[in-house]
Amino acid sequence: MIHYKTEEEIKLMKESCKLAAEVLLMIEPYVKPGVTTERLDQICHDYIISKGAVPSPLNYRGFPKSICSSVNEEICHGIPSDRKLRNGDIVNLDITTYLNGFHGDTSRTFFVGSPRKKAAKLVEVCREALQRGIEVVKPGAKLGDIGATIQNYAESHGYSIVREFCGHGIGANFHEEPQILHYGSFGEGLEIKKGMVFTIEPMVNLGKPDLRILSDKWTAVTQDGEISAQFEHTLCVTDNGVDVMTRLDGKTQF
């Protein structure tokens, strides 16, 4: 069952979403060769707590850290560790905050040092795929329009879409209905209506879409070992379009 948010709920959600976006902006200078993903986790954790919020991933279904950090061939749900980032790596940092009784969810793939050419193109295509998916969101459109738009754009560049994970409704609960697939067909799926709040978070692989889960039971990696990129925003459907609640106006952000 989809919970359509009231104006008051949306107002409260915007504060949590704004904080999540600010965490991504804050952490950017720390993403450099030699830093461990565990250190990035600690910096984000401390910042979120200092703002009177809670990092949503911490202890969620047993997840042991406050953010997800997914490096190179890791698609999503990477657990921060003593792994040091190296020049040329890409790393997705997935931030979710819980503030005012609501969650705000966003992620971005960062370059570590100087990006390799193939990584730079993949990351840009993934970012643009998300943007194009956002642009089709409006009352009366169908959820399938989002997935089809993202899939067509990514595949037109020779990349593949991960199908095992999807975007999701969000609010007082970390994950709610509806599910937002990043592939599909135009004109199919549920009708998009005002008051829906959900994430779009495509995972785009350089190689094939197949994945496997590591022994930690969380980290998803590409089966072929090729790199993967992801971007994510939380958005709210308005009277005639969409409000991207995890986008900071006037500041450097994706």
Side-chain angles (χ1 to χ4, degrees), residues 31 38 51 71 104 121 131 163 192-193 196 198 214:
V31 181
E38 191 165 48
K51 300 298 182 178
V71 183
K121 182 182 176 184
Q131 178 57 30
R163 299 190 174 213
I192 296 172
K193 297 181 180 180
M196 281 185 174
F198 53 79
L214 297 186

Side-chain angles (χ1 to χ4, degrees), residues 51-215:
K51 300 298 182 178
V54 174
S56 304
L58 186 60
N59 299 319
Y60 178 75
R61 296 183 178 175
F63 191 80
K65 297 292 183 177
S66 295
I67 68 171
C68 297
S69 59
S70 304
V71 183
N72 294 336
E73 76 284 356
E74 296 175 348
I75 297 169
C76 62
H77 303 157
I79 300 175
S81 68
D82 60 2
R83 176 178 183 170
K84 290 184 178 180
L85 297 179
R86 299 177 298 175
N87 185 59
D89 285 346
I90 59 173
V91 57
N92 175 271
L93 300 182
D94 193 343
I95 309 294
T96 312
T97 54
Y98 184 69
L99 179 69
N100 299 328
F102 291 93
H103 299 272
D105 194 359
T106 186
S107 84
R108 172 186 167 187
T109 297
F110 294 86
F111 297 122
V112 182
S114 301
R116 297 182 175 90
K117 187 175 180 180
K118 68 177 184 179
K121 182 182 176 184
L122 174 70
V123 170
E124 174 54 28
V125 168
C126 184
R127 185 200 64 77
E128 179 64 18
L130 170 60
Q131 178 57 30
R132 292 183 179 219
I134 291 170
E135 288 172 358
V136 304
V137 177
K138 61 182 179 181
K142 297 296 181 68
L143 291 182
D145 299 344
I146 301 171
T149 298
I150 291 170
Q151 179 184 8
N152 290 352
Y153 184 74
E155 290 181 351
S156 73
H157 289 272
Y159 302 136
S160 62
I161 293 289
V162 173
R163 299 190 174 213
E164 285 84 349
F165 300 102
C166 61
H168 53 89
I170 186 170
N173 298 302
F174 195 164
H175 296 92
E176 301 179 351
E177 292 296 326
Q179 294 188 342
I180 310 297
L181 304 182
H182 304 118
Y183 62 93
S185 301
F186 291 103
E188 294 189 355
L190 292 173
E191 181 179 344
I192 296 172
K193 297 181 180 180
K194 178 186 176 182
M196 281 185 174
V197 177
F198 53 79
T199 72
I200 306 178
E201 47 184 297
M203 287 145 271
V204 180
N205 291 355
L206 182 67
K208 296 179 180 180
D210 309 283
L211 61 79
R212 61 188 178 91
I213 305 297
L214 297 186
S215 59

Side-chain angles (χ1 to χ4, degrees), residues 22-74:
E22 288 172 346
V23 175
L24 276 186
L25 201 62
M26 175 278 300
I27 199 62
E28 183 172 11
Y30 298 94
V31 181
K32 55 188 178 182
V35 71
T36 66
T37 53
E38 191 165 48
R39 176 62 179 150
L40 297 178
D41 175 78
Q42 189 62 56
I43 294 168
C44 291
H45 175 91
D46 292 346
Y47 185 88
I48 293 167
I49 295 298
S50 75
K51 300 298 182 178
V54 174
S56 304
L58 186 60
N59 299 319
Y60 178 75
R61 296 183 178 175
F63 191 80
K65 297 292 183 177
S66 295
I67 68 171
C68 297
S69 59
S70 304
V71 183
N72 294 336
E73 76 284 356
E74 296 175 348

